[in-house]
């Protein structure tokens, strides 16, 4: 069946460094790729998304890249801050069905 | 404030009891979803509803039931048939089930069954 693989499962960076999280998907019909941030004890919140007709999107310190041919997409966080510490989920969606990655726990050390 | 609410935040039950988790949204969204989250895993879809009075099984529906009698409400019942019910449950909604788009999540309910 369709799946989304996400790496790494845990990522620790120094404050001010960059963080990169990568995902691959299997369903060729996927055309929407959101990234969610989940803080402890809370529900996930959308931080950035990209659609299949775009290769890159940026919003301040956060950027997402998409390679549809390779079925890869990545989240880039620059100038990380302690408040960026959370679990990040990628997802791939085609129509109503959304498949989530297993999550990356990001630690930003002050 | 517009949003999606879940209650209670923490729920404890004895094995063999059914329990119902509440989910309400005032975003006027047509579609609603229930996910289960276990440590180290992504979100797994339990049930979804595209419109009032309609719902469909997701990937892990066994041992769960839902209803969608009102647009704003989508309660989930965890029955005694669910073999491993202890988990974090997330409810979400989206404007329409057609076309991929953002899902808005509630704060979640942590269910512990002993």
């Amino acid at each position: 069946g369709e799946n989304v693989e996400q790496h790494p499962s845990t990522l620790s960076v120094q404050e001010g460094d960059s963080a990169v999280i990568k995902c691959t998907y299997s369903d060729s019909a996927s055309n929407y790729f959101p990234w969610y941030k989940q803080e402890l004890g809370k529900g996930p919140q959308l931080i950035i998304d990209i659609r299949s007709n775009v290769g890159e999107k940026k919003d301040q310190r956060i950027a997402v890249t998409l390679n549809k041919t390779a079925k890869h997409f990545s989240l880039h966080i620059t100038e990380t801050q302690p408040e960026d510490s959370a679990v990040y989920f990628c997802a791939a969606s085609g129509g109503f069905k959304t498949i989530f990655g297993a999550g990356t726990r990001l630690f930003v050390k002050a | 404030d517009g949003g999606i609410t879940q209650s209670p935040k923490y729920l404890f039950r004895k094995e063999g009891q059914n329990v119902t988790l509440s989910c309400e949204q005032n975003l006027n969204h047509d579609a609603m979803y229930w996910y289960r989250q276990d440590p180290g895993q992504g979100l797994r879809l339990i049930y979804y509803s595209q419109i009032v009075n309609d719902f469909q099984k997701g990937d892990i529906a066994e041992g769960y039931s839902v209803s969608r009698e009102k647009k704003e409400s989508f309660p989930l019942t965890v029955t005694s048939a669910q073999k491993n019910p202890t988990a974090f449950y997330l409810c979400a909604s989206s404007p329409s089930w057609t076309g991929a788009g953002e899902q808005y999540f509630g704060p979640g309910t942590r269910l512990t069954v002993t």
Side-chain angles (χ1 to χ4, degrees), chain B residues 65-96:
Chain B
S65 65
V66 293
S67 63
R68 186 87 187 275
E69 297 175 1
K70 298 186 295 182
K71 186 175 186 177
E72 58 270 22
S73 180
F74 190 40
L76 173 75
T77 297
V78 184
T79 75
S80 56
Q82 167 49 234
K83 294 191 171 93
N84 187 18
T86 294
F88 189 54
Y89 290 89
L90 286 161
C91 180
S93 69
S94 62
S96 170

Side-chain angles (χ1 to χ4, degrees), chain A residues 18-84:
Chain A
S18 295
V20 180
I21 302 170
K22 299 182 179 182
C23 290
T24 60
Y25 62 97
S26 60
D27 187 359
S28 301
S30 298
N31 58 7
Y32 174 68
F33 305 91
W35 286 88
Y36 290 88
K37 176 183 180 182
Q38 185 177 27
E39 296 179 345
L40 193 63
K42 298 183 179 179
Q45 283 198 307
L46 182 78
I47 55 171
I48 196 167
D49 56 12
I50 192 168
R51 295 193 181 268
S52 58
N53 57 348
V54 175
E56 185 173 357
K57 183 177 178 181
K58 191 172 180 180
D59 182 4
Q60 299 182 354
R61 296 187 296 109
I62 295 172
V64 57
T65 59
L66 171 64
N67 182 330
K68 275 217 82 175
T69 303
K71 295 183 186 168
H72 289 170
F73 58 114
S74 300
L75 177 71
H76 304 252
I77 305 174
T78 58
E79 300 172 24
T80 53
Q81 300 166 4
E83 52 264 37
D84 293 330

Side-chain angles (χ1 to χ4, degrees), chain A residues 36 44, chain B residues 4 27 29 91-95 102-106:
Chain A
Y36 290 88
Chain B
I4 182 164
L27 300 167
H29 287 172
C91 180
S93 69
S94 62
E102 179 183 0
Q103 292 188 18
Y104 296 75
F105 285 87

Side-chain angles (χ1 to χ4, degrees), chain A residues 31-32 34 36 38 41-46 49 51 87 89 93-103, chain B residues 9 33 35 37 40-43 45 48 50 59 88 90 97-108:
Chain A
N31 58 7
Y32 174 68
Y36 290 88
Q38 185 177 27
K42 298 183 179 179
Q45 283 198 307
L46 182 78
D49 56 12
R51 295 193 181 268
V87 178
F89 290 97
S93 181
F96 86 91
K97 187 164 184 156
T98 299
I99 307 293
F100 289 84
Chain B
K9 191 169 178 65
Y33 312 82
Y35 292 94
Q37 186 174 25
Q41 296 191 38
L43 282 62
L45 183 64
Y48 65 96
Q50 300 162 357
D59 300 320
F88 189 54
L90 286 161
W97 70 276
T98 58
E102 179 183 0
Q103 292 188 18
Y104 296 75
F105 285 87

Side-chain angles (χ1 to χ4, degrees), chain B residues 3-29:
Chain B
I4 182 164
T5 58
Q6 292 183 244
S7 62
K9 191 169 178 65
Y10 298 96
L11 193 52
F12 298 88
R13 279 294 182 270
K14 293 288 186 188
E15 201 173 306
Q17 293 178 336
N18 292 355
V19 59
T20 298
L21 282 60
S22 166
C23 177
E24 304 277 331
Q25 54 100 358
N26 61 3
L27 300 167
N28 201 34
H29 287 172

